[in-house]
Amino acid sequence: MAHAFDRAFAERAEGFEGRARGRDDGPFLLDCAVACSTMNGLLPEPMLVQQAELQRAGHDNGFPDALHWIVLRGGAPIGHARMAWNSADTHLVDIAVLPEHRGIGAARALLGAWLAVADAHGLTATLQVFHDNPARQIYARLGFVETAPDPYAAFVDMHRPPAQR
């Protein structure tokens, strides 16, 4: 799926470059997680760093074969997405764009490429998002619907069937 995603991203990423996560991306991913945390400003930075490290370890261990894509602008990383694929569906594990680079289309290019590949392979796309995350509205506009809402869960599960071609 990496080659298909690379092509789909290149078609949608005017002004951006992209590549698979590399060995040297750890510091950027940590900085991005801290900068994008909903707890930023509420918790001290050492706790935010610890949360980010635990989340990344959980994603690395829980989705070892996932495609982890870094989006760059002017050669510098500004965001990333991690997507897991199997024969029945694809799951958006994580997506984040540094706050100072939001609103310029980086996340739109990442999501568009992910969904294009899912559609081309007839895969349902799934994700989880916090109840209060404004991105829920973006996902709904992209065709995602809530899966069995649970008012007591921290996350909302969403899915999108493949688009008919």
Side-chain angles (χ1 to χ4, degrees), residues 21-71:
R21 172 184 168 185
R23 291 182 192 175
D24 297 334
D25 288 319
F28 161 71
L29 292 169
L30 184 64
D31 290 345
C32 188
V34 169
C36 296
S37 173
T38 58
M39 301 306 284
N40 205 337
L42 299 173
L43 294 177
E45 184 158 340
M47 289 182 79
L48 294 172
V49 168
Q50 183 181 38
Q51 282 184 336
E53 289 171 339
L54 289 170
Q55 180 186 40
R56 187 171 60 195
H59 290 167
D60 287 347
N61 292 324
F63 302 94
D65 297 325
L67 173 63
H68 199 172
W69 197 257
I70 306 294
V71 61

Short mmCIF file of all heavy atoms in Angstrom, two decimals, residues 21-71:
data_model
loop_
_atom_site.label_atom_id
_atom_site.label_comp_id
_atom_site.label_asym_id
_atom_site.label_seq_id
_atom_site.Cartn_x
_atom_site.Cartn_y
_atom_site.Cartn_z
N ARG A 21 8.17 7.33 7.40
CA ARG A 21 8.90 7.66 8.63
C ARG A 21 10.29 7.02 8.60
O ARG A 21 10.45 5.87 8.19
CB ARG A 21 8.11 7.12 9.82
CG ARG A 21 8.84 7.23 11.15
CD ARG A 21 8.01 6.57 12.23
NE ARG A 21 8.76 6.40 13.45
CZ ARG A 21 8.30 5.76 14.51
NH1 ARG A 21 7.07 5.25 14.49
NH2 ARG A 21 9.03 5.63 15.58
N GLY A 22 11.26 7.80 9.04
CA GLY A 22 12.63 7.32 9.09
C GLY A 22 13.15 7.27 10.52
O GLY A 22 12.48 7.72 11.46
N ARG A 23 14.33 6.76 10.66
CA ARG A 23 14.94 6.62 11.99
C ARG A 23 15.13 7.94 12.71
O ARG A 23 15.09 8.00 13.93
CB ARG A 23 16.31 5.95 11.87
CG ARG A 23 16.24 4.52 11.46
CD ARG A 23 17.62 3.92 11.41
NE ARG A 23 17.55 2.64 10.74
CZ ARG A 23 18.59 1.92 10.45
NH1 ARG A 23 19.79 2.34 10.76
NH2 ARG A 23 18.45 0.77 9.84
N ASP A 24 15.34 9.01 11.96
CA ASP A 24 15.63 10.31 12.58
C ASP A 24 14.38 11.13 12.87
O ASP A 24 14.50 12.29 13.28
CB ASP A 24 16.57 11.11 11.66
CG ASP A 24 17.92 10.43 11.49
OD1 ASP A 24 18.33 9.67 12.40
OD2 ASP A 24 18.56 10.65 10.45
N ASP A 25 13.19 10.58 12.67
CA ASP A 25 11.96 11.34 12.86
C ASP A 25 11.45 11.37 14.30
O ASP A 25 10.48 12.06 14.60
CB ASP A 25 10.86 10.80 11.94
CG ASP A 25 11.10 11.17 10.49
OD1 ASP A 25 11.52 12.31 10.23
OD2 ASP A 25 10.86 10.31 9.63
N GLY A 26 12.09 10.62 15.19
CA GLY A 26 11.62 10.56 16.58
C GLY A 26 11.46 11.92 17.24
O GLY A 26 10.40 12.20 17.82
N PRO A 27 12.46 12.79 17.19
CA PRO A 27 12.31 14.10 17.83
C PRO A 27 11.16 14.92 17.25
O PRO A 27 10.40 15.56 17.99
CB PRO A 27 13.66 14.78 17.59
CG PRO A 27 14.62 13.64 17.47
CD PRO A 27 13.84 12.56 16.75
N PHE A 28 11.01 14.90 15.92
CA PHE A 28 9.88 15.63 15.32
C PHE A 28 8.55 15.07 15.80
O PHE A 28 7.63 15.82 16.16
CB PHE A 28 9.92 15.59 13.79
CG PHE A 28 8.59 15.91 13.18
CD1 PHE A 28 8.08 17.20 13.23
CD2 PHE A 28 7.78 14.92 12.64
CE1 PHE A 28 6.82 17.50 12.73
CE2 PHE A 28 6.53 15.20 12.14
CZ PHE A 28 6.04 16.50 12.17
N LEU A 29 8.41 13.75 15.79
CA LEU A 29 7.15 13.13 16.19
C LEU A 29 6.82 13.45 17.64
O LEU A 29 5.66 13.70 17.98
CB LEU A 29 7.18 11.62 15.95
CG LEU A 29 7.22 11.22 14.48
CD1 LEU A 29 7.54 9.74 14.34
CD2 LEU A 29 5.93 11.57 13.79
N LEU A 30 7.81 13.48 18.49
CA LEU A 30 7.60 13.85 19.89
C LEU A 30 7.16 15.30 19.99
O LEU A 30 6.18 15.62 20.67
CB LEU A 30 8.88 13.60 20.70
CG LEU A 30 8.78 13.86 22.18
CD1 LEU A 30 7.79 12.90 22.84
CD2 LEU A 30 10.16 13.69 22.82
N ASP A 31 7.86 16.20 19.31
CA ASP A 31 7.50 17.62 19.33
C ASP A 31 6.09 17.84 18.77
O ASP A 31 5.33 18.64 19.31
CB ASP A 31 8.50 18.45 18.51
CG ASP A 31 9.87 18.54 19.16
OD1 ASP A 31 10.01 18.23 20.36
OD2 ASP A 31 10.82 18.94 18.45
N CYS A 32 5.76 17.12 17.71
CA CYS A 32 4.44 17.25 17.10
C CYS A 32 3.35 16.78 18.06
O CYS A 32 2.32 17.45 18.23
CB CYS A 32 4.40 16.47 15.78
SG CYS A 32 2.90 16.72 14.81
N ALA A 33 3.58 15.66 18.72
CA ALA A 33 2.59 15.13 19.67
C ALA A 33 2.36 16.09 20.82
O ALA A 33 1.22 16.33 21.24
CB ALA A 33 3.02 13.76 20.18
N VAL A 34 3.43 16.67 21.33
CA VAL A 34 3.30 17.62 22.45
C VAL A 34 2.58 18.88 21.97
O VAL A 34 1.66 19.37 22.62
CB VAL A 34 4.69 17.94 23.04
CG1 VAL A 34 4.61 19.12 24.00
CG2 VAL A 34 5.27 16.71 23.75
N ALA A 35 2.98 19.41 20.81
CA ALA A 35 2.37 20.63 20.30
C ALA A 35 0.89 20.45 19.99
O ALA A 35 0.11 21.39 20.13
CB ALA A 35 3.11 21.10 19.04
N CYS A 36 0.50 19.24 19.58
CA CYS A 36 -0.88 18.98 19.17
C CYS A 36 -1.75 18.42 20.30
O CYS A 36 -2.95 18.20 20.10
CB CYS A 36 -0.89 18.02 17.99
SG CYS A 36 -0.12 18.70 16.51
N SER A 37 -1.18 18.19 21.45
CA SER A 37 -1.93 17.60 22.56
C SER A 37 -3.05 18.52 23.02
O SER A 37 -2.86 19.74 23.16
CB SER A 37 -0.99 17.32 23.74
OG SER A 37 -1.75 16.91 24.87
N THR A 38 -4.21 17.93 23.27
CA THR A 38 -5.32 18.71 23.82
C THR A 38 -5.05 19.12 25.26
O THR A 38 -5.74 19.98 25.80
CB THR A 38 -6.63 17.90 23.77
OG1 THR A 38 -6.46 16.69 24.51
CG2 THR A 38 -7.02 17.60 22.33
N MET A 39 -4.03 18.53 25.86
CA MET A 39 -3.67 18.87 27.24
C MET A 39 -2.57 19.94 27.30
O MET A 39 -2.14 20.32 28.38
CB MET A 39 -3.21 17.61 27.98
CG MET A 39 -4.27 16.52 28.02
SD MET A 39 -5.85 17.08 28.70
CE MET A 39 -5.46 17.15 30.42
N ASN A 40 -2.13 20.40 26.13
CA ASN A 40 -1.10 21.44 26.07
C ASN A 40 -1.61 22.68 26.79
O ASN A 40 -2.70 23.16 26.52
CB ASN A 40 -0.77 21.76 24.61
CG ASN A 40 0.61 22.32 24.44
OD1 ASN A 40 1.19 22.86 25.37
ND2 ASN A 40 1.13 22.19 23.24
N GLY A 41 -0.81 23.18 27.71
CA GLY A 41 -1.21 24.33 28.51
C GLY A 41 -1.88 23.94 29.82
O GLY A 41 -2.01 24.77 30.71
N LEU A 42 -2.32 22.69 29.93
CA LEU A 42 -2.97 22.22 31.14
C LEU A 42 -2.04 21.37 32.00
O LEU A 42 -2.16 21.36 33.22
CB LEU A 42 -4.23 21.42 30.80
CG LEU A 42 -5.32 22.15 30.04
CD1 LEU A 42 -6.42 21.19 29.62
CD2 LEU A 42 -5.88 23.29 30.88
N LEU A 43 -1.16 20.62 31.32
CA LEU A 43 -0.22 19.75 32.02
C LEU A 43 1.20 20.27 31.83
O LEU A 43 1.50 20.89 30.80
CB LEU A 43 -0.30 18.32 31.47
CG LEU A 43 -1.60 17.56 31.69
CD1 LEU A 43 -1.52 16.19 31.01
CD2 LEU A 43 -1.90 17.41 33.17
N PRO A 44 2.08 20.01 32.78
CA PRO A 44 3.47 20.41 32.59
C PRO A 44 4.10 19.63 31.44
O PRO A 44 3.72 18.48 31.14
CB PRO A 44 4.14 20.08 33.92
CG PRO A 44 3.20 19.22 34.66
CD PRO A 44 1.84 19.38 34.07
N GLU A 45 5.08 20.24 30.78
CA GLU A 45 5.69 19.63 29.60
C GLU A 45 6.24 18.22 29.86
O GLU A 45 6.06 17.35 29.00
CB GLU A 45 6.78 20.52 29.01
CG GLU A 45 7.32 19.91 27.73
CD GLU A 45 7.98 20.90 26.81
OE1 GLU A 45 7.74 22.10 26.92
OE2 GLU A 45 8.74 20.42 25.97
N PRO A 46 6.88 17.94 31.00
CA PRO A 46 7.35 16.56 31.19
C PRO A 46 6.23 15.52 31.13
O PRO A 46 6.44 14.41 30.63
CB PRO A 46 8.00 16.58 32.58
CG PRO A 46 8.42 18.01 32.77
CD PRO A 46 7.35 18.81 32.08
N MET A 47 5.04 15.88 31.59
CA MET A 47 3.92 14.94 31.51
C MET A 47 3.43 14.79 30.07
O MET A 47 3.07 13.69 29.63
CB MET A 47 2.77 15.38 32.41
CG MET A 47 3.09 15.22 33.89
SD MET A 47 1.71 15.69 34.93
CE MET A 47 0.69 14.22 34.79
N LEU A 48 3.43 15.89 29.32
CA LEU A 48 3.05 15.81 27.91
C LEU A 48 4.02 14.95 27.13
O LEU A 48 3.61 14.15 26.28
CB LEU A 48 2.99 17.22 27.30
CG LEU A 48 1.91 18.15 27.84
CD1 LEU A 48 2.10 19.55 27.28
CD2 LEU A 48 0.53 17.62 27.50
N VAL A 49 5.31 15.10 27.43
CA VAL A 49 6.33 14.29 26.76
C VAL A 49 6.12 12.81 27.10
O VAL A 49 6.17 11.94 26.22
CB VAL A 49 7.75 14.77 27.14
CG1 VAL A 49 8.81 13.78 26.70
CG2 VAL A 49 8.01 16.15 26.55
N GLN A 50 5.86 12.53 28.37
CA GLN A 50 5.64 11.14 28.78
C GLN A 50 4.42 10.55 28.07
O GLN A 50 4.46 9.42 27.58
CB GLN A 50 5.47 11.06 30.29
CG GLN A 50 5.32 9.65 30.81
CD GLN A 50 5.13 9.61 32.30
OE1 GLN A 50 4.47 10.47 32.89
NE2 GLN A 50 5.72 8.61 32.94
N GLN A 51 3.34 11.33 28.00
CA GLN A 51 2.15 10.85 27.29
C GLN A 51 2.45 10.58 25.83
O GLN A 51 2.02 9.57 25.27
CB GLN A 51 1.02 11.89 27.39
CG GLN A 51 0.31 11.91 28.69
CD GLN A 51 -0.85 12.90 28.67
OE1 GLN A 51 -0.88 13.85 27.89
NE2 GLN A 51 -1.82 12.66 29.54
N ALA A 52 3.20 11.48 25.20
CA ALA A 52 3.53 11.32 23.78
C ALA A 52 4.39 10.08 23.57
O ALA A 52 4.19 9.33 22.61
CB ALA A 52 4.25 12.56 23.27
N GLU A 53 5.34 9.85 24.45
CA GLU A 53 6.20 8.66 24.33
C GLU A 53 5.39 7.38 24.50
O GLU A 53 5.59 6.40 23.78
CB GLU A 53 7.34 8.73 25.34
CG GLU A 53 8.37 9.79 25.01
CD GLU A 53 9.40 10.02 26.10
OE1 GLU A 53 9.12 9.67 27.29
OE2 GLU A 53 10.47 10.56 25.79
N LEU A 54 4.47 7.37 25.46
CA LEU A 54 3.63 6.20 25.67
C LEU A 54 2.70 5.95 24.48
O LEU A 54 2.50 4.80 24.07
CB LEU A 54 2.82 6.34 26.96
CG LEU A 54 3.63 6.24 28.25
CD1 LEU A 54 2.77 6.64 29.45
CD2 LEU A 54 4.17 4.82 28.44
N GLN A 55 2.14 7.02 23.94
CA GLN A 55 1.27 6.88 22.78
C GLN A 55 2.05 6.32 21.60
O GLN A 55 1.59 5.40 20.91
CB GLN A 55 0.63 8.21 22.40
CG GLN A 55 -0.29 8.09 21.20
CD GLN A 55 -0.82 9.43 20.72
OE1 GLN A 55 -0.09 10.41 20.68
NE2 GLN A 55 -2.08 9.46 20.37
N ARG A 56 3.23 6.86 21.34
CA ARG A 56 4.02 6.37 20.21
C ARG A 56 4.41 4.91 20.40
O ARG A 56 4.33 4.11 19.47
CB ARG A 56 5.25 7.23 19.98
CG ARG A 56 5.96 6.81 18.68
CD ARG A 56 7.05 7.73 18.26
NE ARG A 56 8.05 7.79 19.30
CZ ARG A 56 8.98 8.71 19.37
NH1 ARG A 56 9.04 9.66 18.46
NH2 ARG A 56 9.88 8.70 20.33
N ALA A 57 4.78 4.54 21.62
CA ALA A 57 5.12 3.13 21.89
C ALA A 57 3.90 2.24 21.67
O ALA A 57 4.01 1.15 21.10
CB ALA A 57 5.66 2.98 23.31
N GLY A 58 2.75 2.71 22.11
CA GLY A 58 1.52 1.94 21.89
C GLY A 58 1.20 1.77 20.41
O GLY A 58 0.82 0.68 19.97
N HIS A 59 1.38 2.83 19.65
CA HIS A 59 1.14 2.74 18.20
C HIS A 59 2.18 1.85 17.52
O HIS A 59 1.83 1.05 16.65
CB HIS A 59 1.15 4.12 17.57
CG HIS A 59 -0.02 4.96 17.95
ND1 HIS A 59 -0.07 6.31 17.72
CD2 HIS A 59 -1.20 4.67 18.56
CE1 HIS A 59 -1.23 6.80 18.15
NE2 HIS A 59 -1.92 5.81 18.68
N ASP A 60 3.44 1.99 17.91
CA ASP A 60 4.49 1.16 17.32
C ASP A 60 4.24 -0.32 17.61
O ASP A 60 4.40 -1.16 16.72
CB ASP A 60 5.87 1.55 17.86
CG ASP A 60 6.39 2.87 17.31
OD1 ASP A 60 5.83 3.39 16.32
OD2 ASP A 60 7.38 3.39 17.87
N ASN A 61 3.84 -0.63 18.82
CA ASN A 61 3.61 -2.03 19.20
C ASN A 61 2.26 -2.55 18.70
O ASN A 61 2.15 -3.71 18.33
CB ASN A 61 3.70 -2.20 20.72
CG ASN A 61 5.10 -1.99 21.23
OD1 ASN A 61 6.07 -2.35 20.58
ND2 ASN A 61 5.23 -1.38 22.40
N GLY A 62 1.25 -1.71 18.73
CA GLY A 62 -0.09 -2.14 18.32
C GLY A 62 -0.29 -2.21 16.82
O GLY A 62 -1.15 -2.95 16.34
N PHE A 63 0.51 -1.44 16.08
CA PHE A 63 0.37 -1.38 14.62
C PHE A 63 1.75 -1.42 13.98
O PHE A 63 2.17 -0.48 13.29
CB PHE A 63 -0.37 -0.10 14.21
CG PHE A 63 -1.73 0.03 14.82
CD1 PHE A 63 -1.91 0.74 16.00
CD2 PHE A 63 -2.83 -0.56 14.21
CE1 PHE A 63 -3.17 0.87 16.56
CE2 PHE A 63 -4.09 -0.43 14.77
CZ PHE A 63 -4.26 0.28 15.96
N PRO A 64 2.49 -2.52 14.20
CA PRO A 64 3.89 -2.56 13.75
C PRO A 64 4.06 -2.49 12.24
O PRO A 64 5.10 -2.05 11.77
CB PRO A 64 4.40 -3.89 14.29
CG PRO A 64 3.18 -4.74 14.46
CD PRO A 64 2.08 -3.78 14.82
N ASP A 65 3.04 -2.88 11.48
CA ASP A 65 3.16 -2.88 10.02
C ASP A 65 2.47 -1.69 9.37
O ASP A 65 2.35 -1.63 8.14
CB ASP A 65 2.58 -4.17 9.45
CG ASP A 65 3.34 -5.40 9.93
OD1 ASP A 65 4.57 -5.30 10.09
OD2 ASP A 65 2.70 -6.44 10.14
N ALA A 66 2.02 -0.74 10.18
CA ALA A 66 1.31 0.41 9.63
C ALA A 66 2.26 1.31 8.83
O ALA A 66 3.45 1.39 9.11
CB ALA A 66 0.67 1.23 10.77
N LEU A 67 1.70 1.97 7.84
CA LEU A 67 2.43 2.97 7.08
C LEU A 67 2.43 4.26 7.90
O LEU A 67 1.37 4.77 8.25
CB LEU A 67 1.77 3.19 5.71
CG LEU A 67 2.34 4.34 4.88
CD1 LEU A 67 3.80 4.07 4.52
CD2 LEU A 67 1.50 4.55 3.63
N HIS A 68 3.61 4.76 8.19
CA HIS A 68 3.73 6.01 8.94
C HIS A 68 4.35 7.03 8.00
O HIS A 68 5.52 6.93 7.66
CB HIS A 68 4.58 5.80 10.19
CG HIS A 68 4.39 6.85 11.21
ND1 HIS A 68 4.93 6.77 12.46
CD2 HIS A 68 3.73 8.04 11.19
CE1 HIS A 68 4.61 7.84 13.16
NE2 HIS A 68 3.88 8.62 12.40
N TRP A 69 3.55 7.99 7.58
CA TRP A 69 3.92 8.94 6.53
C TRP A 69 4.20 10.31 7.14
O TRP A 69 3.42 10.81 7.94
CB TRP A 69 2.78 9.05 5.53
CG TRP A 69 3.16 9.65 4.22
CD1 TRP A 69 2.89 10.92 3.80
CD2 TRP A 69 3.87 9.02 3.17
NE1 TRP A 69 3.40 11.10 2.55
CE2 TRP A 69 4.01 9.95 2.14
CE3 TRP A 69 4.42 7.76 3.02
CZ2 TRP A 69 4.66 9.66 0.95
CZ3 TRP A 69 5.07 7.47 1.83
CH2 TRP A 69 5.18 8.41 0.82
N ILE A 70 5.30 10.90 6.73
CA ILE A 70 5.68 12.24 7.19
C ILE A 70 5.42 13.22 6.05
O ILE A 70 5.83 12.97 4.91
CB ILE A 70 7.19 12.29 7.58
CG1 ILE A 70 7.54 11.20 8.59
CG2 ILE A 70 7.56 13.67 8.08
CD1 ILE A 70 6.89 11.34 9.95
N VAL A 71 4.73 14.31 6.34
CA VAL A 71 4.50 15.36 5.34
C VAL A 71 5.47 16.50 5.64
O VAL A 71 5.66 16.88 6.79
CB VAL A 71 3.02 15.81 5.30
CG1 VAL A 71 2.57 16.40 6.61
CG2 VAL A 71 2.77 16.79 4.18
#
